[in-house]
Amino acid sequence: MATDTHPSTKGAGGAGNTLRRLLLENGALSALIVLVVALSLLSGDFLTTQNLLNVGVQAAVTAILAFGVTFVIVSAGIDLSVGSVAALSATVLAWSATSAGVPVWLAVIFAIATGLVCGLISGALVAYGKLPSFIATLAMLSVARGLSLVISQGSPIAFPSSISHLGDTLGGWLPVPVLVMIAAGLITALILGRTYIGRSMYAIGGNEEAARLSGLRVKKQKLAIYALAGLFAAVAGIVLASRLTSAQPQAAQGYELDAIAAVVIGGASLAGGVGKASGTLIGALILAVLRNGLNLLSVSAFWQQVVIGVVIALAVLLDTLRRKAGSGAPSAAGSSAAAGSPGSKRKKTMELGIAVVVVAAVVAAVSFFHSGSSGDTKKIGVSLSTLNNPFFVQMKQGAQQEAKKAGVDLTVTDAQNDASQQANQLENFTSSGLDSIIVNPVDSDAVGPSVRSANKDGIPVVAADRGVNKAKTATLVASDNVAGGKLAAKTLAERLGGKGSIVVLQGTAGTSASRERGAGFAAGIKAYPGIRIVAKQPADFDRTKGLDVMTNVLQAHPGITGVFAENDEMALGAAKALGSKAGKTVSVVGFDGTPDGLKAVSTGTLYASVAQQPKELGKIAVQNAVRAADGKKVDSTVMVPVKVVTRQNVADFS
């Protein structure tokens, strides 16, 4: 009967059934279509050619990483190292082609080889060392990130111009990263569907013991699987560094989680045996579309994380329930005969209900957080390097207060100390046609290409706190980090009477703020030969890490008399580790003048803080962005004065 009724499905009805079956059998594709439709209705800037190309570029690195992770997940493994391996491969390429003077083509081979070797080591630990893949790749994550920092000495390395073209466009409109992503996807599909190793991945993921008994060399196959993941990570790292025109030692942090999420959203099972390249691509596009759309709709940087997490969960839930509902479905041969059965109707009703829930959740959430504005209101975008730091939270508050006073529609985004994510945010701002943009760079070099794109579209850019290299900005509103570092050195040295042993707690390696403050302090302390720096350790601008690092340093150097921390958060962590010594036998100097830092200064726990007045900085940045948008003249540099705050003058400081 199925054969007799098959011809009746031809034509328009057959095409409709095919489309419906395609959507119902792929929850990720349905979710992507829902998102695109919802965001198109909510934002007139979303469904434009330029913005869709932006989405493709922003999905490229995650997708390439995810294609490599697909091999591992299909074989019932996990790889947490791909983000760090990507950063290490890019660093090896940049260092080889610059510092080592190796020809660029050979440097590229070294970078690819680096990814392969990292993958082989992870594979060997899993296959021959019998380590769980989670543990083996977690170890590789740490090793690769550490080697990247060692090679680069914590500073970005300029990328060779011949390779940087990978981040450009063909014909002035087609992004090269998108082409690389498509090529990687086709290769992944070919490997999974047409090769012996691809079939082996499914067999190992389905039942490793059965695969071994059937004659598969499981250990060697795992070596090849993890090597492929390392290879794809190396390619992703090269593409990412090309976009940023520099190899960032801290690049791609957390990207392994995005890659795993993309694979799972795309329909793969963490239990193994299920997964495909097209699903992984769709998963990566969902993540990119979400972030792009939420930027365009001015959703709060904090709420963006919530919305993204909820939508990812709904997308996976849709696919999981579809699989569960279809587990008892009739075979393909008998599906036609059973089409009108009660079970089939219940299944379709449930699928429709789930789809409606997803649509409603997406539209309601985004509509709730999106506040529209009139066409006459000026729109300014602000991309901050991080909002996980009181200094930048205060800068945001100052900017918002001034924007409210001036009647400006302000969108604030959080780059989470990720130069690539900041580049995506600036591209989204540019495609949405804002009147002006304020950027607080994660890295001054990496932000250059995105600012040049804004320059090309005639959008004025204001740099805040840190400058932008190799691009035009209307003005730089900043305090002098180098001068602040020198002030901190002078203050601490005079407090110690020009003699003593001190510890320096450094910020996040590779960031311009850490480099500049550290350089200023080093230059200033040279004037005091009686002071010896016994330890320099990074604590990533974080209070908890400052506490841990200081606790460890005290074991080796219990007799220190001073501490300089490159921000107040680390200074407060150090003071906690020092206990009763802080402010008495050990003087601690911080940087930023945050509310908590100033409280500690007033109580004597911290001796001093070099205050930058972040609220004032945010306020002045918005004032200049408005003037630049109106075409008025602004000064090329606006300096916000820094001052040393001690217990004697803290009451006068605001």
Side-chain angles (χ1 to χ4, degrees):
M1 182 177 290
T3 304
D4 293 338
T5 58
H6 183 70
S8 66
T9 64
K10 301 289 185 183
N17 289 335
T18 300
L19 178 61
R20 182 177 60 187
R21 187 168 61 253
L22 176 64
L23 294 176
L24 291 178
E25 290 179 359
N26 195 325
L29 180 59
S30 301
L32 178 60
I33 292 174
V34 167
L35 283 173
V36 170
V37 171
L39 292 172
S40 299
L41 293 174
L42 291 168
S43 172
D45 298 313
F46 179 78
L47 209 59
T48 63
T49 301
Q50 183 58 49
N51 191 60
L52 293 178
L53 289 174
N54 285 345
V55 170
V57 172
Q58 293 163 23
V61 173
T62 298
I64 296 168
L65 285 174
F67 289 137
V69 173
T70 302
F71 301 134
V72 179
I73 289 179
V74 165
S75 61
I78 201 77
D79 194 340
L80 300 177
S81 68
V82 289
S84 296
V85 171
L88 175 59
S89 298
T91 301
V92 167
L93 193 163
W95 179 84
S96 299
T98 54
S99 299
V102 172
V104 172
W105 65 269
L106 187 57
V108 172
I109 294 176
F110 286 165
I112 298 296
T114 298
L116 281 170
V117 170
C118 289
L120 284 170
I121 293 173
S122 295
L125 291 173
V126 172
Y128 295 95
K130 302 297 183 182
L131 290 180
S133 57
F134 180 93
I135 299 300
T137 57
L138 183 62
M140 180 54 67
L141 177 154
S142 181
V143 170
R145 184 68 64 184
L147 287 175
S148 178
L149 290 166
V150 168
I151 294 170
S152 66
Q153 293 298 300
S155 299
I157 304 175
F159 222 53
S161 57
S162 56
I163 303 297
S164 292
H165 292 312
L166 282 175
D168 294 340
T169 58
L170 290 179
W173 68 276
L174 182 58
V176 176
V178 174
L179 297 179
V180 177
M181 175 181 70
I182 293 171
L186 292 174
I187 292 171
T188 303
L190 178 64
I191 292 173
L192 288 173
R194 300 288 182 178
T195 64
Y196 173 76
I197 188 174
R199 292 190 293 272
S200 299
M201 292 174 193
Y202 288 108
I204 294 170
N207 190 319
E208 183 175 331
E209 182 61 18
R212 186 184 65 80
L213 293 174
S214 66
L216 281 178
R217 297 180 177 179
V218 173
K219 292 182 178 179
K220 290 186 176 179
Q221 295 297 329
K222 284 188 175 182
L223 277 179
I225 290 167
Y226 283 89
L228 281 171
L231 173 64
F232 276 70
V235 173
I238 294 170
V239 171
L240 176 59
S242 299
R243 282 192 66 204
L244 304 177
T245 67
S246 62
Q248 305 277 326
Q250 295 285 12
Q253 279 195 329
Y255 280 36
E256 56 277 348
L257 300 181
D258 276 359
I260 293 169
V263 177
V264 175
I265 290 171
S269 169
L270 289 173
V274 178
K276 53 186 179 179
S278 59
T280 296
L281 176 61
I282 291 170
L285 288 173
I286 285 175
L287 294 175
V289 165
L290 273 172
R291 291 193 171 104
N292 174 271
L294 294 174
N295 283 169
L296 296 181
L297 293 172
S298 304
V299 175
S300 161
F302 297 134
W303 279 109
Q304 283 191 27
Q305 299 301 312
V306 177
V307 174
I308 289 172
V310 169
V311 174
I312 288 174
L314 287 173
V316 177
L317 178 64
L318 172 62
D319 195 62
T320 301
L321 292 179
R322 177 200 56 80
R323 290 175 185 276
K324 184 177 180 180
S327 60
S331 65
S335 61
S336 195
S341 66
S344 175
K345 290 180 179 179
R346 283 196 299 271
K347 175 185 173 184
K348 290 178 180 178
T349 300
M350 187 181 71
E351 289 168 338
L352 180 60
I354 295 169
V356 169
V357 170
V358 173
V359 173
V362 172
V363 174
V366 176
S367 298
F368 179 78
F369 295 116
H370 171 50
S371 56
S373 59
S374 67
D376 297 331
T377 302
K378 279 191 175 57
K379 296 181 180 181
I380 297 176
V382 181
S383 177
L384 294 174
S385 57
T386 180
L387 283 173
N388 189 29
N389 184 310
F391 176 84
F392 297 107
V393 172
Q394 289 183 83
M395 187 191 296
K396 171 192 171 187
Q397 291 170 352
Q400 288 175 328
Q401 290 171 4
E402 181 62 26
K404 183 177 181 180
K405 178 181 176 182
V408 170
D409 182 6
L410 195 71
T411 300
V412 181
T413 61
D414 176 8
Q416 299 177 355
N417 277 324
D418 182 347
S420 175
Q421 189 170 154
Q422 185 163 65
N424 294 342
Q425 292 167 357
L426 293 177
E427 288 167 0
N428 294 340
F429 285 160
T430 300
S431 65
S432 60
L434 297 182
D435 294 290
S436 59
I437 295 171
I438 299 171
V439 60
N440 161 236
V442 173
D443 180 79
S444 298
D445 290 316
V447 80
S450 300
V451 174
R452 289 198 295 271
S453 296
N455 294 159
K456 185 178 178 181
D457 283 14
I459 301 175
V461 178
V462 172
D465 189 46
R466 304 165 189 163
V468 175
N469 296 336
K470 300 178 182 178
K472 180 182 178 182
T473 55
T475 185
L476 167 63
V477 180
S479 45
D480 193 330
N481 277 318
V482 175
K486 291 179 179 178
L487 272 177
K490 180 181 178 182
T491 301
L492 183 58
E494 290 179 350
R495 168 67 172 173
L496 299 179
K499 296 180 180 180
S501 300
I502 65 173
V503 171
V504 175
L505 295 183
Q506 301 167 310
T508 304
T511 58
S512 56
S514 180
R515 293 198 306 270
E516 292 167 2
R517 294 175 186 184
F521 185 84
I525 210 70
K526 284 182 179 179
Y528 304 90
I531 291 181
R532 185 167 62 98
I533 299 176
V534 297
K536 285 184 180 181
Q537 290 294 321
D540 298 341
F541 292 131
D542 183 80
R543 189 182 303 195
T544 302
K545 291 183 179 179
L547 167 61
D548 293 341
V549 171
M550 196 68 224
T551 301
N552 297 336
V553 169
L554 284 173
Q555 298 302 310
H557 306 284
I560 63 167
T561 55
V563 176
F564 168 60
E566 292 177 359
N567 81 336
D568 283 345
E569 287 295 288
M570 294 187 295
L572 292 167
K576 184 70 174 177
L578 288 164
S580 60
K581 293 181 179 180
K584 295 180 180 178
T585 59
V586 181
S587 298
V588 183
V589 174
F591 207 115
D592 283 343
T594 63
D596 283 352
L598 295 180
K599 286 180 184 178
V601 170
S602 67
T603 60
T605 305
L606 299 187
Y607 173 68
S609 177
V610 179
Q612 293 195 88
Q613 306 183 82
K615 280 191 176 181
E616 189 71 12
L617 198 154
K619 173 184 173 182
I620 295 173
V622 170
Q623 290 174 349
N624 280 270
V626 171
R627 290 180 60 84
D630 288 335
K632 297 178 180 177
K633 184 179 179 181
V634 293
D635 295 332
S636 60
T637 304
V638 179
M639 299 306 293
V640 180
V642 297
K643 59 178 70 175
V644 176
V645 182
T646 63
R647 200 169 185 176
Q648 285 68 41
N649 68 345
V650 67
D652 301 327
F653 187 82
S654 61

